[in-house]
Amino acid sequence: MVSLRVGMIGIGFMGAAHSQGWRTAPAFFELPLEVEMAALAGRDDARTASAARTWGWSESTTDWRSLLARDDIDVIDIVTPGDTHAEIAIAALEAGKHVLCEKPLANTVEEAERMAAAAETAAANGVYAMVGFTYRRVPAATLARDLVAEGAIGDVRQVRATYLQDWLVDADAPLTWRMKKELAGSGALGDIGAHAIDLAQFITGQRLTAVSGTLETFVKERPVLAQGSGLSGSAGSERGEVTVDDLALFSGRFDGGAVGSFEATRFSTGRKNAFRIEVAGSDGALSWDLEDLNVLHHYDRNARGDRQGFTRILVTEPEHPYAGNWWPAGHMLGYEHGFSHQVVDLVNAIASGTQPTPSFADGLQVQRVLQAVEGSAEAGSVWTPVA
Amino acid sequence: MVSLRVGMIGIGFMGAAHSQGWRTAPAFFELPLEVEMAALAGRDDARTASAARTWGWSESTTDWRSLLARDDIDVIDIVTPGDTHAEIAIAALEAGKHVLCEKPLANTVEEAERMAAAAETAAANGVYAMVGFTYRRVPAATLARDLVAEGAIGDVRQVRATYLQDWLVDADAPLTWRMKKELAGSGALGDIGAHAIDLAQFITGQRLTAVSGTLETFVKERPVLAQGSGLSGSAGSERGEVTVDDLALFSGRFDGGAVGSFEATRFSTGRKNAFRIEVAGSDGALSWDLEDLNVLHHYDRNARGDRQGFTRILVTEPEHPYAGNWWPAGHMLGYEHGFSHQVVDLVNAIASGTQPTPSFADGLQVQRVLQAVEGSAEAGSVWTPVA
Amino acid sequence: MVSLRVGMIGIGFMGAAHSQGWRTAPAFFELPLEVEMAALAGRDDARTASAARTWGWSESTTDWRSLLARDDIDVIDIVTPGDTHAEIAIAALEAGKHVLCEKPLANTVEEAERMAAAAETAAANGVYAMVGFTYRRVPAATLARDLVAEGAIGDVRQVRATYLQDWLVDADAPLTWRMKKELAGSGALGDIGAHAIDLAQFITGQRLTAVSGTLETFVKERPVLAQGSGLSGSAGSERGEVTVDDLALFSGRFDGGAVGSFEATRFSTGRKNAFRIEVAGSDGALSWDLEDLNVLHHYDRNARGDRQGFTRILVTEPEHPYAGNWWPAGHMLGYEHGFSHQVVDLVNAIASGTQPTPSFADGLQVQRVLQAVEGSAEAGSVWTPVA
Amino acid sequence: MVSLRVGMIGIGFMGAAHSQGWRTAPAFFELPLEVEMAALAGRDDARTASAARTWGWSESTTDWRSLLARDDIDVIDIVTPGDTHAEIAIAALEAGKHVLCEKPLANTVEEAERMAAAAETAAANGVYAMVGFTYRRVPAATLARDLVAEGAIGDVRQVRATYLQDWLVDADAPLTWRMKKELAGSGALGDIGAHAIDLAQFITGQRLTAVSGTLETFVKERPVLAQGSGLSGSAGSERGEVTVDDLALFSGRFDGGAVGSFEATRFSTGRKNAFRIEVAGSDGALSWDLEDLNVLHHYDRNARGDRQGFTRILVTEPEHPYAGNWWPAGHMLGYEHGFSHQVVDLVNAIASGTQPTPSFADGLQVQRVLQAVEGSAEAGSVWTPVA
């Protein structure tokens, strides 16, 4: 079988998740190309070498550009912080490498536009780019998309999407790069709100055209990490400004007539990863919760009157998307399986010479929604078109 | 409209519940007879008079037999402890009064047999007796029965019924009459296990023919209430023997081929009133929980493969049993509504001259199951026929 | 005992609910005054007389003003449509009657202001007015308020309140008065959104000071009921305009620093009465759902690290608000019990000469929030102060 | 780092699960030995080679004994059907290999006894054997054990364990080896009931000493697979006898005074993998469900009265067993993670020269419980000691 040789850039938490996807997908899915985990690039030599060994990459380097120069690398997987995505992805595409880029695509619309342009140029040459909104590939979320597409809930009218976390509830949690706008782009909005936007659009098949949004920073100053204390540094007495949002609330209008409400927050005490989405249409509704990720709830308004209700579908049957390749029915999948499914879909797209989704254009559109929310929030929440 | 004049005997907790049924049913259901809450009988003069005033009974008396002698009483409602049921019910039936008797029908099979015989004789004269298994009349439970009866889940093969409470978990809770076999008949078995037996048989339409049972008393001695301390008495240092079960576990075979497991306990820490029943058949299943009493879960094995799952039916629609007479869909009913439904069904049966259910014969059969469980438990849990 | 003689005006669905409250409260709670259900007023003679008989009112009349003229009426309970509240309530207060007025207080802020002024004048003379936001009196909701008040969740930062129904999903459902702005005031916003506003403010102890809102009408024309067909009329071929909202989405800022999101809709397919509220603070969170109304979920951020989670409190213990007067622990209450609790609180306030809550001033404030939402929606959702 | 070289025997469904454990554990846990997936043995040459390639084993063979003869294999992992466990495990131990053997340990007590004896002998020489009850290693189950051990729920009095599946509900599903006693040992009892027994004993720290059991076969004959049709064979018209149980119900007494009820079934329509266990003690209770495997419910009877309830602990925090090595809090684990944890615990035990658990002696004890259940069922469900 022909090999698909992958180089990954970045060694943080997302590196572990992507590595698990590359390593595991071939064990459960028949892929048209043989995946080779060729090389890992990171900034720190020792840590990168150690990560490569732990995660199963054959080599490591501190020079990510060297991966682009190699003939024996076919795909570049980017899991670095968002402010570096544009530079790496564009260079990789120009070097003729397929690119998988972790979400959000970029920190600004301007970067995302350049990336999407580069991806369009590359695609004309059979080189493809994809952005990593993996929650699309949770089987229950994919099933939701399929049910909407086949008309199971009729015309979609309402969307309710909340992504609730609570890891900033402690007002004395230290100020990290994630709370600085220049590094992180935005706070809860871009980090987890972007997931809500993408998934809502994916499931409904509709795109947001306008938004009205509010951003709130509950804790405006946090302790600065003491000088030189590195990763394990404890907070000192100095306080610095939090320049991103703790909470993003917005309403949106979709091009198919639906209206949606969105909330992304890091201050919903007790909620660890409560990404919930409900879609209601003229003939039914669907509801999903990441904290119960194997389940999709489906309401069929055309069922017999005395038997209507939300049906709890355990999305682990052979008929369900992706599920049949794993375990028998009723055996649960977890967070990381979406990364394997992402690999499966990307490898199949590359092998067949078709554009994988979500494309960089899709990622750019999400970025434009984020920008419109920020614009609306700055303008007193007035409705703002998605440019 | 012709009146139906009711006399109730007993002023405990169940008296409050039955009174609420008599008082409320006419406000929500069109009844063929006008209910009159004529008289209340209790042992203590002042307390009975006070209860009558509070609950809406026109008169009170300490002589329950006087109610039987009156021409202007049509129904006797018995809510006294189980050891008095036989005497009162038989006398009332012999006096030509319809009888509603709270469950369990009696403390022994012998008593229950005499009661059932008296009821049969009375029925021949158009005088009817009914036993108060009100959980049958929770709309979701009635719907479950209806769905089984119309074949929605095919042939019933399995039943799982648990009734879990925890009010005896404290080993120093005082010894009351409910823990003495001579007064209470049995412990968790007769008190709440009887509900599980009745509802399992009601929903499945099958009867238990044999059982294998185990009874357990975890706390074998409890503090005796100090002399003369009355109702509010605190426990003294003396300890007395608990002569009833804290836990009843039994398996049963039904005459339609189903096999069931049953558990009734007062020691399931944290469970307050968790009466749960699940019935599985060749084409589907049904599941219900008293702590979420407005909901019935229904699994349809013939639904499309990728959409199967338990459907959470909110049993508050106009199509549902009893529900349309109350509030709009989605407005919840509570514990006490079953007592109103019991009144509705009893009044309709009396008005139409038909036997209400569950009859005393039905109550006797439950008593025989209880006896068989006790017999099996004494004989090392060997399978024992329901005589 | 001194009597409190009640006259109720209105014979719709809310009349049944209020009657149940007046009839039932004295059977379960020791009240300082004896409640007499003296008279019921309605427009149609026969229907009013029938309702009085069914619900337990001693007399009936078609002249509501006659109730105000009687010396033997102490309280006027108003359950008519919102456009009549102001006239009746003001007249009743001026006649020296205590008033219980169903929510929403009025259809406009102007009406509500006159009502609040009348109430303030009356209160100076020991005559009290109360508005009927009964969901405050679901034991779990009251417990939520108590826990916030004692600091159990620290400083409240976030509120999420959704009230979801689906009874207008069918685009061919007929046009009724509830869909006409001149009669109903607004749509989902005033009907159920008002509940969300009141409960959020009640639980948090904070008041909304500004809102950003969006209103949507999904189905803009509906079949007009055929002429002369009355209540049971079927829809004809003519179509009329829906002039109220099907969906109200709004964000709000509270005077204590919290930020909230609100949704009220009649188009959330499959959701019958899903009124859900979650309140998150610096030390914990609370979550409640009307479809599971006996339960309050509580998260304690100060619990031991490995044991944190939302605790499902079954609010039926003697320690819980109102609950001890009903049934043993674990026996569920339903929708209508809030109406009994409302009677209890009103009667106690009247007997002790103190202002019952929520007052007309409270009802007016909710009305101002509704008006601000409408104003914001008309102005492109820009943040709008609650006047 | 020193290597631990593993040879696995068996290429069925369990082979995929174990391979995933061996491949993934080193990527997330710091292990004291470097795991090498050295060789895979199976019966069919091509299929075994293919499985080795897919799952990541360096070599493959059809001669499992050859693995025992090699010096460069340290561990034998047995995932073949139960009737071959004894032969392979004993030979491996005698060859000085550590052994991991999938559950159930064997098909009979006699085999299990020989295996346990061999394991005891080997352990004296520092060679260890472990049986694969992986559900112990779901973080929530391990946490349950820890909480019981530290006294969080006091003295354990009750256990309720049900393992519900429905894959035999279709009466025309073909007769496979799993329904023949000589190959499978037993039906639901040994396949999934064994899990319930092991986990109940693991969590409570108590051992079953006696049981009363019932076995039921609902569908006594099933279509025989047509000759020569192999794996994909469809059922012919011939029918053969099902010689194992479809349902096992049993009660048990534990050596610490607890009483438990157990159910294992393949006929609980709609339940795919509903392994649920609840443990109630004098001070609290714990409840867990495999279909919601990341969650443990904990009831603390010593919490403040108005705040008691089951707390839904999301067992994904760094403080929780195993969880900190995976993803951030709130990111779910799935079925297969238990297999990684099993590898972690086995490798650590081997490296430190200590006996891993559950040992073969533990597996033997489970086998004795299964035998006692069968014995009781044959003797009319009479209580039967665990020999």
Side-chain angles (χ1 to χ4, degrees):
Chain A
M1 205 188 326
V2 176
S3 285
L4 186 74
R5 297 154 301 185
V6 184
M8 189 169 83
I9 304 172
I11 62 168
F13 148 49
M14 269 298 141
H18 280 236
S19 298
Q20 176 76 346
W22 289 113
R23 197 171 53 237
T24 304
F28 291 88
F29 293 81
E30 280 191 50
L31 298 179
L33 300 169
E34 183 159 10
V35 169
E36 280 182 32
M37 296 172 69
L40 176 67
R43 249 179 286 206
D44 181 278
D45 199 1
R47 289 181 54 228
T48 305
S50 168
R53 208 163 40 240
T54 299
W55 295 342
W57 298 91
S58 302
E59 299 171 32
S60 71
T61 174
T62 57
D63 176 14
W64 64 264
R65 291 184 185 278
S66 70
L67 300 184
L68 274 53
R70 285 169 58 166
D71 282 344
D72 60 348
I73 298 275
D74 304 301
V75 177
I76 295 294
D77 184 1
I78 305 170
V79 293
T80 53
D83 60 335
T84 65
H85 287 185
E87 179 184 11
I88 301 173
I90 292 169
L93 288 167
E94 288 176 353
K97 311 301 186 196
H98 305 290
V99 171
L100 170 59
C101 182
E102 182 52 29
K103 57 65 54 184
L105 188 57
N107 274 5
T108 68
V109 166
E110 185 273 333
E111 289 170 341
E113 282 173 340
R114 287 192 288 115
M115 293 169 79
E120 196 179 346
T121 301
N125 299 319
V127 173
Y128 296 109
M130 182 187 189
V131 61
F133 284 110
T134 51
Y135 290 140
R136 292 182 171 209
R137 295 182 161 91
V138 172
T142 311
L143 178 62
R145 191 267 319 260
D146 293 347
L147 287 172
V148 171
E150 67 173 75
I153 66 165
D155 297 328
V156 176
R157 287 163 172 161
Q158 282 202 248
V159 175
R160 196 173 305 109
T162 57
Y163 201 140
L164 314 177
Q165 298 183 336
D166 76 349
W167 54 280
L168 284 182
V169 163
D170 181 355
D172 289 325
L175 189 70
T176 71
W177 70 269
R178 286 185 172 276
M179 285 161 257
K180 306 298 286 181
K181 188 173 175 58
E182 64 275 22
L183 297 174
S186 65
L189 176 64
D191 184 21
I192 52 180
H195 278 299
I197 293 165
D198 182 69
L199 200 63
Q201 296 188 139
F202 173 68
I203 291 176
T204 61
Q206 297 186 22
R207 293 242 165 161
L208 285 161
T209 57
V211 294
S212 162
T214 296
L215 301 178
E216 176 73 15
T217 305
F218 291 105
V219 175
K220 294 180 172 57
E221 291 194 334
R222 289 183 176 274
V224 176
L225 286 180
Q227 293 279 330
S229 60
L231 284 169
S232 57
S234 57
S237 59
E238 196 191 344
R239 292 195 156 244
E241 193 186 357
V242 175
T243 50
V244 299
D245 59 282
D246 292 330
L247 162 70
L249 285 178
F250 54 102
S251 303
R253 296 189 179 280
F254 291 81
D255 58 9
V259 177
S261 71
F262 293 83
E263 175 172 1
T265 176
R266 295 160 170 175
F267 266 77
S268 189
T269 317
R271 303 299 176 188
K272 302 304 170 187
N273 208 23
F275 181 16
R276 298 164 179 179
I277 187 161
E278 181 158 330
V279 177
S282 53
D283 288 308
L286 295 164
S287 182
W288 177 77
D289 180 351
L290 179 60
E291 288 191 5
D292 193 17
L293 65 90
N294 294 279
V295 169
L296 180 68
H297 297 274
H298 172 225
Y299 185 90
D300 180 4
R301 207 170 75 83
N302 301 312
R304 210 176 81 173
D306 63 351
R307 298 190 192 178
Q308 290 183 15
F310 277 87
T311 298
R312 176 186 178 267
I313 306 172
L314 198 53
V315 190
T316 60
E317 299 289 327
E319 293 93 323
H320 292 140
Y322 306 107
N325 282 68
W326 296 96
W327 313 109
H331 290 68
M332 300 297 146
L333 302 186
Y335 163 69
E336 71 218 46
H337 292 78
F339 293 91
S340 287
H341 303 159
Q342 178 169 268
V343 163
V344 170
D345 292 342
L346 176 60
V347 173
N348 277 311
I350 289 172
S352 64
T354 55
Q355 171 65 46
T357 59
S359 68
F360 274 18
D362 295 327
L364 165 61
Q365 189 267 348
V366 171
Q367 215 68 32
R368 285 179 171 145
V369 176
L370 297 175
Q371 188 185 48
V373 172
E374 291 184 293
S376 171
E378 284 164 19
S381 297
V382 74
W383 277 91
T384 301
V386 175
Chain B
M1 208 190 322
V2 176
S3 285
L4 185 76
R5 296 155 303 186
V6 183
M8 189 169 83
I9 304 172
I11 61 168
F13 148 49
M14 269 297 140
H18 280 235
S19 297
Q20 177 75 346
W22 289 112
R23 199 171 52 238
T24 304
F28 290 88
F29 292 81
E30 279 192 49
L31 298 179
L33 299 170
E34 182 160 9
V35 168
E36 282 183 28
M37 296 172 69
L40 176 67
R43 249 179 284 206
D44 181 278
D45 199 1
R47 288 181 54 228
T48 306
S50 168
R53 208 163 39 241
T54 300
W55 296 342
W57 297 91
S58 301
E59 298 172 33
S60 70
T61 175
T62 57
D63 176 14
W64 65 263
R65 291 184 185 278
S66 70
L67 300 184
L68 275 52
R70 284 169 59 167
D71 282 346
D72 61 347
I73 299 276
D74 304 301
V75 176
I76 295 295
D77 184 1
I78 306 171
V79 293
T80 52
D83 61 335
T84 65
H85 286 184
E87 180 183 11
I88 301 173
I90 292 169
L93 288 167
E94 288 177 353
K97 310 303 186 195
H98 305 290
V99 171
L100 170 60
C101 181
E102 183 52 30
K103 57 65 54 184
L105 188 57
N107 275 4
T108 69
V109 166
E110 185 274 333
E111 289 170 341
E113 283 173 339
R114 287 193 288 116
M115 293 169 78
E120 196 179 346
T121 302
N125 299 320
V127 172
Y128 297 108
M130 181 186 189
V131 61
F133 284 109
T134 50
Y135 290 141
R136 291 182 171 209
R137 295 180 162 92
V138 171
T142 311
L143 178 61
R145 191 268 318 261
D146 293 347
L147 288 173
V148 171
E150 68 173 72
I153 66 166
D155 297 328
V156 176
R157 286 163 173 162
Q158 282 202 246
V159 175
R160 194 172 306 109
T162 57
Y163 201 140
L164 314 177
Q165 298 183 336
D166 75 349
W167 53 280
L168 284 181
V169 163
D170 181 354
D172 290 325
L175 189 70
T176 71
W177 70 270
R178 286 185 172 276
M179 285 160 256
K180 306 298 286 181
K181 187 171 177 58
E182 64 275 21
L183 298 173
S186 65
L189 177 64
D191 184 21
I192 53 180
H195 278 300
I197 293 165
D198 181 69
L199 199 63
Q201 297 189 139
F202 173 69
I203 291 175
T204 61
Q206 297 187 22
R207 294 241 166 163
L208 285 161
T209 58
V211 294
S212 163
T214 296
L215 301 178
E216 175 74 16
T217 305
F218 291 105
V219 175
K220 294 180 172 57
E221 292 194 334
R222 288 182 177 275
V224 176
L225 286 178
Q227 292 279 329
S229 62
L231 285 169
S232 57
S234 57
S237 60
E238 196 190 344
R239 292 196 156 242
E241 193 187 358
V242 175
T243 51
V244 300
D245 59 281
D246 292 330
L247 162 70
L249 286 178
F250 54 102
S251 304
R253 296 189 178 279
F254 292 81
D255 58 9
V259 177
S261 70
F262 293 83
E263 176 172 1
T265 176
R266 296 161 170 174
F267 267 76
S268 188
T269 316
R271 302 299 176 189
K272 302 305 170 186
N273 208 23
F275 181 15
R276 298 164 181 181
I277 188 161
E278 181 158 331
V279 177
S282 53
D283 288 309
L286 294 164
S287 182
W288 177 77
D289 180 349
L290 179 59
E291 288 191 5
D292 193 18
L293 65 89
N294 295 279
V295 169
L296 181 68
H297 298 274
H298 171 226
Y299 186 91
D300 180 4
R301 205 169 76 82
N302 301 312
R304 209 176 82 173
D306 63 351
R307 298 190 193 180
Q308 290 183 15
F310 277 87
T311 299
R312 176 186 178 266
I313 306 172
L314 198 53
V315 190
T316 60
E317 299 289 328
E319 293 93 324
H320 291 139
Y322 306 107
N325 283 69
W326 295 96
W327 314 108
H331 290 68
M332 300 295 146
L333 302 186
Y335 164 70
E336 73 216 47
H337 291 78
F339 294 92
S340 287
H341 303 159
Q342 178 169 266
V343 163
V344 170
D345 292 342
L346 176 60
V347 172
N348 278 311
I350 289 172
S352 64
T354 55
Q355 172 64 47
T357 58
S359 68
F360 275 17
D362 295 327
L364 166 59
Q365 189 266 349
V366 170
Q367 216 68 33
R368 286 181 170 144
V369 176
L370 297 175
Q371 190 185 47
V373 172
E374 292 185 292
S376 171
E378 284 164 19
S381 298
V382 73
W383 278 90
T384 301
V386 175
Chain C
M1 209 190 322
V2 177
S3 286
L4 186 75
R5 296 154 304 185
V6 183
M8 188 171 83
I9 304 173
I11 63 168
F13 148 50
M14 269 299 141
H18 280 234
S19 297
Q20 177 74 348
W22 290 112
R23 199 172 50 237
T24 304
F28 290 88
F29 292 81
E30 278 191 53
L31 299 179
L33 300 169
E34 183 160 8
V35 169
E36 281 183 30
M37 296 172 69
L40 177 67
R43 250 179 284 208
D44 181 277
D45 199 1
R47 288 181 55 229
T48 305
S50 167
R53 211 163 36 239
T54 299
W55 295 342
W57 298 91
S58 301
E59 299 172 31
S60 70
T61 175
T62 57
D63 176 14
W64 64 265
R65 291 182 186 278
S66 70
L67 301 184
L68 275 52
R70 284 168 59 166
D71 283 345
D72 61 347
I73 299 276
D74 305 301
V75 177
I76 295 295
D77 183 1
I78 305 171
V79 293
T80 53
D83 60 336
T84 65
H85 286 184
E87 180 184 11
I88 301 173
I90 293 168
L93 288 167
E94 289 175 352
K97 311 301 186 196
H98 305 291
V99 171
L100 170 60
C101 182
E102 183 52 30
K103 59 62 53 183
L105 188 58
N107 275 4
T108 67
V109 165
E110 184 275 331
E111 289 169 342
E113 283 173 339
R114 287 191 289 116
M115 294 170 78
E120 194 178 348
T121 303
N125 299 319
V127 173
Y128 297 109
M130 182 187 188
V131 61
F133 285 109
T134 52
Y135 290 140
R136 291 182 171 208
R137 294 179 163 92
V138 172
T142 311
L143 178 61
R145 191 268 318 257
D146 293 346
L147 288 173
V148 171
E150 67 173 75
I153 65 166
D155 297 328
V156 176
R157 287 163 172 162
Q158 282 203 245
V159 175
R160 194 173 306 109
T162 57
Y163 201 140
L164 314 177
Q165 299 183 335
D166 75 350
W167 54 279
L168 284 182
V169 163
D170 181 355
D172 290 324
L175 189 70
T176 71
W177 70 270
R178 286 184 173 276
M179 285 161 257
K180 306 299 285 181
K181 188 173 176 56
E182 64 275 22
L183 298 174
S186 65
L189 177 63
D191 184 20
I192 52 179
H195 277 301
I197 293 165
D198 182 69
L199 200 63
Q201 296 188 140
F202 173 69
I203 291 175
T204 60
Q206 297 186 21
R207 294 239 163 162
L208 284 160
T209 57
V211 294
S212 162
T214 296
L215 302 178
E216 176 74 15
T217 305
F218 291 104
V219 174
K220 295 181 172 54
E221 291 194 334
R222 289 182 176 275
V224 176
L225 286 179
Q227 291 279 331
S229 61
L231 285 169
S232 58
S234 57
S237 60
E238 194 190 345
R239 292 196 157 242
E241 192 185 358
V242 175
T243 50
V244 300
D245 60 281
D246 292 331
L247 162 70
L249 284 178
F250 55 103
S251 303
R253 295 188 179 280
F254 292 81
D255 58 9
V259 177
S261 70
F262 293 82
E263 174 171 2
T265 176
R266 296 159 169 176
F267 266 77
S268 188
T269 317
R271 302 299 175 188
K272 302 305 169 184
N273 208 23
F275 181 16
R276 297 163 181 181
I277 189 161
E278 182 158 329
V279 177
S282 53
D283 288 309
L286 295 164
S287 181
W288 176 77
D289 180 351
L290 180 58
E291 289 191 5
D292 193 19
L293 66 90
N294 294 280
V295 170
L296 180 68
H297 298 273
H298 172 226
Y299 185 90
D300 179 3
R301 206 169 75 83
N302 301 311
R304 209 177 82 174
D306 63 351
R307 299 191 192 177
Q308 290 184 14
F310 277 87
T311 298
R312 175 188 180 264
I313 305 171
L314 198 53
V315 189
T316 60
E317 299 289 328
E319 292 93 325
H320 290 140
Y322 306 108
N325 283 68
W326 295 96
W327 313 109
H331 290 68
M332 300 295 147
L333 302 186
Y335 163 70
E336 73 218 47
H337 292 79
F339 294 92
S340 287
H341 303 159
Q342 178 169 267
V343 163
V344 170
D345 292 342
L346 176 60
V347 173
N348 277 311
I350 290 172
S352 64
T354 56
Q355 173 64 47
T357 57
S359 68
F360 275 18
D362 295 327
L364 165 60
Q365 189 266 348
V366 170
Q367 216 66 33
R368 285 180 170 145
V369 176
L370 297 175
Q371 188 186 47
V373 171
E374 291 185 291
S376 171
E378 284 164 18
S381 298
V382 73
W383 278 91
T384 301
V386 176
Chain D
M1 208 187 329
V2 176
S3 285
L4 186 75
R5 296 153 303 182
V6 184
M8 189 170 82
I9 304 172
I11 63 168
F13 148 50
M14 269 299 140
H18 280 234
S19 298
Q20 177 74 348
W22 289 112
R23 198 172 50 238
T24 304
F28 290 88
F29 293 80
E30 279 191 51
L31 299 180
L33 300 169
E34 183 160 6
V35 169
E36 281 183 30
M37 297 172 68
L40 177 67
R43 250 178 285 206
D44 181 278
D45 199 0
R47 288 181 56 228
T48 306
S50 167
R53 209 163 37 240
T54 300
W55 296 342
W57 298 91
S58 301
E59 299 171 31
S60 70
T61 174
T62 57
D63 176 15
W64 64 264
R65 290 182 187 277
S66 70
L67 301 184
L68 275 51
R70 285 169 59 167
D71 282 345
D72 61 348
I73 299 275
D74 304 301
V75 177
I76 296 294
D77 184 1
I78 306 171
V79 293
T80 54
D83 61 335
T84 65
H85 287 183
E87 181 184 10
I88 301 173
I90 293 168
L93 288 167
E94 289 175 352
K97 311 301 187 196
H98 305 291
V99 171
L100 170 60
C101 181
E102 182 53 29
K103 58 62 55 185
L105 187 58
N107 275 5
T108 67
V109 165
E110 185 274 331
E111 289 170 340
E113 283 173 339
R114 287 193 287 117
M115 294 170 78
E120 196 179 345
T121 302
N125 299 319
V127 173
Y128 297 109
M130 182 187 188
V131 60
F133 285 109
T134 51
Y135 291 141
R136 290 182 172 208
R137 295 181 162 91
V138 172
T142 310
L143 179 61
R145 191 268 317 261
D146 293 347
L147 288 173
V148 171
E150 67 173 76
I153 67 166
D155 297 328
V156 176
R157 286 163 172 164
Q158 285 203 243
V159 175
R160 195 173 306 110
T162 57
Y163 201 140
L164 314 177
Q165 298 183 337
D166 76 350
W167 53 279
L168 284 182
V169 163
D170 181 356
D172 290 325
L175 189 70
T176 71
W177 70 271
R178 286 185 172 275
M179 285 160 258
K180 307 298 285 180
K181 188 173 176 55
E182 64 274 22
L183 298 174
S186 65
L189 177 63
D191 184 21
I192 52 181
H195 278 301
I197 293 165
D198 182 69
L199 200 62
Q201 296 187 140
F202 173 68
I203 291 175
T204 61
Q206 297 186 22
R207 294 241 164 161
L208 285 161
T209 57
V211 294
S212 162
T214 296
L215 301 178
E216 176 74 16
T217 305
F218 291 105
V219 175
K220 294 181 172 55
E221 291 193 334
R222 290 183 176 274
V224 176
L225 286 178
Q227 292 278 331
S229 60
L231 285 170
S232 58
S234 57
S237 60
E238 195 190 344
R239 292 197 156 242
E241 193 185 358
V242 175
T243 50
V244 300
D245 59 282
D246 292 331
L247 163 69
L249 285 178
F250 55 102
S251 303
R253 295 188 180 280
F254 291 82
D255 57 9
V259 177
S261 71
F262 293 83
E263 175 171 1
T265 176
R266 296 160 169 177
F267 266 77
S268 187
T269 317
R271 301 300 175 187
K272 302 304 170 186
N273 208 23
F275 180 17
R276 297 163 181 182
I277 188 161
E278 181 157 330
V279 177
S282 53
D283 288 309
L286 295 164
S287 182
W288 177 77
D289 180 351
L290 179 59
E291 289 191 5
D292 193 18
L293 65 89
N294 294 280
V295 169
L296 180 68
H297 298 273
H298 172 226
Y299 186 90
D300 179 3
R301 206 169 75 82
N302 301 312
R304 208 177 83 174
D306 63 351
R307 299 191 191 177
Q308 289 184 13
F310 277 88
T311 298
R312 176 187 180 267
I313 306 171
L314 198 53
V315 190
T316 60
E317 299 289 328
E319 293 93 322
H320 291 140
Y322 306 108
N325 283 68
W326 296 96
W327 313 109
H331 290 68
M332 300 297 147
L333 302 186
Y335 164 70
E336 73 217 46
H337 292 77
F339 293 92
S340 287
H341 303 160
Q342 178 169 266
V343 163
V344 170
D345 292 342
L346 176 59
V347 173
N348 277 310
I350 289 172
S352 63
T354 56
Q355 173 64 48
T357 59
S359 68
F360 275 18
D362 296 327
L364 165 61
Q365 189 267 349
V366 171
Q367 215 68 31
R368 285 181 170 144
V369 176
L370 297 175
Q371 188 185 49
V373 172
E374 291 185 292
S376 170
E378 283 163 19
S381 296
V382 74
W383 278 90
T384 301
V386 175

